Amino acid sequence: MKYIYIIIISTLLSFSCYSQEVMLTSSKNTTELVENSKPKLIIGIVVDQMRYDYLTRFASKFGEGGFKRMIREGFNCKNNHFNYVPTYTGPGHASVFTGTTPKYHGVISNNWYDKEIKATVYCAGDDSVASVGSTSEAGKMSPHRMLTSTFSDENRLFTQMRGKTIGIAIKDRGAILPAGHTANAAYWFNGKDEGNWITSTFYMTSLPSWVKDFNSSDAAQSYFKTWNTLYDISTYTESGADENKFEGGFSGKDKATFPYELDKLKDKNKGFDILKATPFGNSLTTDFAIAAIKGEDLGKDAITDVLTVSYSSTDYVGHNFGVNSKEVEDTYIRLDKDLERFFKYLDSNIGEGEYTVFLTADHGAVNVPAYLQSVKIPAGYLNRDSRKEKFQKFLKDTYGTTDIVEKVSNNQVFLNKLKLQELGLNLHEVEQALVDEQISYKNIAKVYTATTMNSTQFTSGIEMLLQNGFNQKRSGDVIVVDDIAHISYSRTGSTHGSGLNYDTHVPLLFFGKGIQHGETYNKTVIPDIAPTISALLGISFPNGSTGNILGFVID
């Protein structure tokens, strides 16, 4: 009997050990399966000032390996919009990567009036840090004014800081805000007489050797060449005449027409800065992004890395020449070639099907109002001086002083609370009085008070967009909305900032590992991107995220 018990116990112990071994093996296999199911590298691409219709308008000129590859192999969200105002670069980049709007991430504009320090601040400016790689102050930048985390921050936290994050853009804010607070590095291009990629002491005290090597090469210098159309200009039928009165152009050249001899024009256009306003700025950005992947060994192990790339030159070209220009068309044709080159490099060095890319924009742009007027579409230009003069007269006549207004910035009126108190004026009554006055002015469509933004929940229309862009601590006391297609800008070139479709409707393409093939006309919004990528990676959402997972995108 005793012998039988020994056999039973031995059998049970053997089975227990075998079960534990099976469980450990199963757990190990599950862990490896989860890790192997994740992309080795996430590339978040933002094309500055890219309207959605550029995808369709220039489609016949694109090759098969850039935009069309993303559409053919990935998922195209055709009705993708910004869901807040204002549509500027700083808020746009912050919203894409934090998954929320200025209401929560706090980047309410590129520059805004800080009510606490009584001064205008820049979204990425930081006097507590110093430039690295430059003798100028162009490197005194950090993400400290962005109040929430990005999905790249969450990936760093999830991987115990082993997953790298690198941000790259010609514009500092286009590199810094997407990369987040925990980034290993963010690099931006300092033009003028330097022509170098730089950073700040927020990230490091000296540039890595690969960045120094890139800067010491002739990469930037090599783009001082002639900018002509890539194809015969007569085939550029998707844009207006090359010579017209709606474009800015470059100093030193009488007409804004092709070709542009950049080597001859650079001295009158701030040296290396001229490259920013040509498609070669995007090519240089692609060169540097590839160098970053090599130099940082991104995507070389099972721990997901993040690379953020913002193509800034499209915005400079659009501002200068306008959305209907041949210069814009050529810039996008050449960007398509850069994307193809970039994706081929990723295929060869990360592995086809081992990386995931999304591409979107930080805002769109309005057609040049002077051009719209020429084809009888309502549009125009704002007379800020006349508006200011009329407003100051109202303040003087009504309150005996203009001092109750502390600042007018970003279509917002900031009231001087101490002055109101000194004069015994009620804040809410003054707010409403300013609304009643401003709404009577020419080319002002709507006016709202901060009280309304704080006390009423809007679910649609421009009111909802204003509310999503309204940050209680940072925004003003009265918010003004201008007429459709009316801008405060030169009569040449395009700009942006409104809540109208030309500014809010932008591309959203996903492709690569874990992405379904398909398309949708269902409305998606910019804050949906970050939680979707977070879900793909199985990590926490950014801490202020208000977007939804686009489940139909994920395979």
Side-chain angles (χ1 to χ4, degrees):
M1 192 72 169
K2 181 178 179 182
Y3 177 73
I4 294 172
Y5 282 135
I6 291 171
I7 291 174
I8 292 171
I9 290 168
S10 297
T11 302
L12 289 172
L13 285 171
S14 298
F15 180 75
S16 176
C17 291
Y18 173 75
S19 297
Q20 289 179 35
E21 185 177 339
V22 168
M23 289 173 67
L24 287 170
T25 303
S26 175
S27 175
K28 181 181 178 182
N29 289 341
T30 300
T31 300
E32 289 177 352
L33 182 64
V34 169
E35 287 184 347
N36 291 334
S37 69
K38 293 183 179 182
K40 293 181 177 179
L41 180 62
I42 296 286
I43 303 100
I45 298 175
V46 177
V47 183
D48 205 321
Q49 202 188 117
M50 184 176 184
R51 292 162 50 119
Y52 175 81
D53 66 345
Y54 290 162
L55 272 184
T56 53
R57 192 170 127 207
F58 304 139
S60 65
K61 298 295 190 297
F62 293 150
E64 295 300 318
F67 290 114
K68 284 184 177 178
R69 179 182 176 186
M70 295 193 76
I71 293 170
R72 183 177 66 251
E73 298 180 13
F75 204 97
N76 183 3
C77 297
K78 295 184 172 184
N79 190 23
N80 183 62
H81 289 262
F82 280 88
N83 62 339
Y84 65 83
V85 177
T87 43
Y88 293 136
T89 298
H93 283 80
S95 298
V96 169
F97 289 85
T98 63
T100 190
T101 69
K103 180 177 182 178
Y104 298 104
H105 63 60
V107 183
I108 62 171
S109 189
N110 292 335
N111 302 276
W112 66 85
Y113 181 68
D114 188 312
K115 294 185 281 190
E116 292 185 11
I117 65 172
K118 311 298 184 187
T120 298
V121 297
Y122 175 56
C123 62
D126 188 347
D127 287 335
S128 71
V129 299
S131 298
V132 175
S134 173
T135 57
S136 71
E137 295 192 348
K140 300 182 72 172
M141 305 288 168
S142 85
H144 76 109
R145 288 195 170 92
M146 185 169 66
L147 304 176
T148 59
S149 67
T150 62
F151 77 76
S152 46
D153 285 323
E154 297 301 330
N155 186 63
R156 290 274 285 157
L157 294 171
F158 184 86
T159 62
Q160 302 303 309
M161 301 296 173
R162 289 176 293 173
K164 284 187 175 181
T165 297
I166 305 291
I168 292 169
I170 291 283
K171 294 181 182 179
D172 47 51
R173 57 188 180 273
I176 292 167
L177 299 176
H181 302 276
T182 60
N184 299 83
Y187 300 103
W188 51 98
F189 185 71
N190 189 37
K192 298 181 181 177
D193 60 348
E194 290 189 3
N196 288 331
W197 292 87
I198 69 171
T199 188
S200 82
T201 53
F202 179 84
Y203 305 99
M204 62 193 73
T205 55
S206 64
L207 292 174
S209 58
W210 69 265
V211 179
K212 292 178 180 177
D213 290 343
F214 190 95
N215 285 338
S216 62
S217 73
D218 66 348
Q221 186 79 29
S222 69
Y223 288 111
F224 284 136
K225 55 186 179 181
T226 299
W227 175 22
N228 209 341
T229 54
L230 187 63
Y231 305 127
D232 187 328
I233 196 169
S234 67
T235 67
Y236 283 34
T237 55
E238 297 79 13
S239 48
D242 189 30
E243 185 175 349
N244 61 73
K245 58 184 180 182
F246 311 117
E247 302 176 351
F250 296 115
S251 297
K253 192 174 190 304
D254 293 338
K255 295 180 180 179
T257 56
F258 284 104
Y260 298 95
E261 298 180 80
L262 303 184
D263 194 41
K264 294 181 179 178
L265 293 171
K266 69 179 188 297
D267 291 340
K268 292 186 176 181
N269 293 274
K270 299 181 180 179
F272 283 97
D273 275 0
I274 195 173
L275 297 179
K276 298 178 181 180
T278 75
F280 303 135
N282 291 331
S283 299
L284 181 62
T285 301
T286 306
D287 296 341
F288 191 73
I290 290 172
I293 294 171
K294 292 178 184 176
E296 297 290 343
D297 288 328
L298 299 180
K300 291 300 183 183
D301 56 31
I303 300 172
T304 303
D305 297 320
V306 176
L307 175 67
T308 73
V309 181
S310 179
Y311 286 108
S312 307
S313 292
T314 42
D315 184 68
Y316 289 110
V317 175
H319 277 295
N320 191 358
F321 297 97
V323 305
N324 198 46
S325 65
K326 286 193 174 2
E327 287 80 1
V328 160
E329 179 169 1
D330 192 68
T331 295
Y332 277 89
I333 291 171
R334 290 176 180 272
L335 175 59
D336 182 64
K337 297 292 186 186
D338 281 318
L339 290 174
E340 180 175 7
R341 174 165 66 97
F342 190 31
F343 296 157
K344 283 182 177 178
Y345 175 81
L346 293 169
D347 289 341
S348 299
N349 292 272
I350 306 301
E352 190 170 359
E354 293 297 332
Y355 62 90
T356 305
V357 182
F358 70 81
L359 182 148
T360 188
D362 56 348
H363 52 73
V366 66
N367 233 311
V368 180
Y371 168 69
L372 294 177
Q373 289 173 333
S374 74
V375 293
K376 301 180 181 179
I377 293 176
Y381 295 89
L382 305 173
N383 189 330
R384 296 288 191 194
D385 291 336
S386 174
R387 187 183 290 183
K388 179 180 178 181
E389 183 180 340
K390 190 172 183 180
F391 185 46
Q392 288 186 329
K393 183 177 186 304
F394 162 78
L395 294 174
K396 190 75 173 176
D397 292 346
T398 307
Y399 302 105
T401 179
T402 61
D403 292 345
I404 65 167
V405 171
E406 197 166 84
K407 186 75 172 180
V408 177
S409 172
N410 292 314
N411 269 23
Q412 297 177 23
V413 180
F414 293 78
L415 292 171
N416 185 329
K417 307 303 194 307
L418 290 177
K419 193 65 178 180
L420 293 181
Q421 192 175 31
E422 178 188 319
L423 297 175
L425 297 171
N426 180 278
L427 171 63
H428 304 311
E429 290 177 357
V430 172
E431 282 182 345
Q432 189 57 50
L434 299 194
V435 168
D436 295 339
E437 170 66 14
Q438 294 261 344
I439 196 61
S440 68
Y441 294 176
K442 185 179 180 181
N443 298 136
I444 289 182
K446 294 178 180 291
V447 192
Y448 294 95
T449 67
T451 300
T452 300
M453 290 293 113
N454 290 325
S455 61
T456 305
Q457 183 63 44
F458 297 105
T459 58
S460 63
I462 188 66
E463 295 80 8
M464 181 191 72
L465 303 185
L466 290 169
Q467 194 163 57
N468 285 340
F470 182 85
N471 183 280
Q472 191 172 5
K473 291 196 73 171
R474 293 182 173 180
S475 297
D477 300 289
V478 174
I479 305 170
V480 175
V481 180
D482 295 314
D483 279 347
I484 295 173
H486 283 70
I487 61 175
S488 179
Y489 203 66
S490 68
R491 294 186 68 84
T492 59
S494 298
T495 193
H496 49 86
S498 80
L500 296 156
N501 286 321
Y502 51 72
D503 281 336
T504 67
H505 191 194
V506 297
L508 177 54
L509 304 175
F510 296 87
F511 102 107
K513 190 163 191 173
I515 301 300
Q516 292 270 23
H517 169 64
E519 61 183 35
T520 184
Y521 284 106
N522 292 335
K523 187 172 185 178
T524 59
V525 293
I526 286 295
D528 294 339
I529 298 170
T532 299
I533 296 298
S534 297
L536 177 68
L537 296 178
I539 63 175
S540 295
F541 293 1
N543 57 23
S545 176
T546 54
N548 296 311
I549 299 172
L550 302 178
F552 47 80
V553 166
I554 300 174
D555 188 357

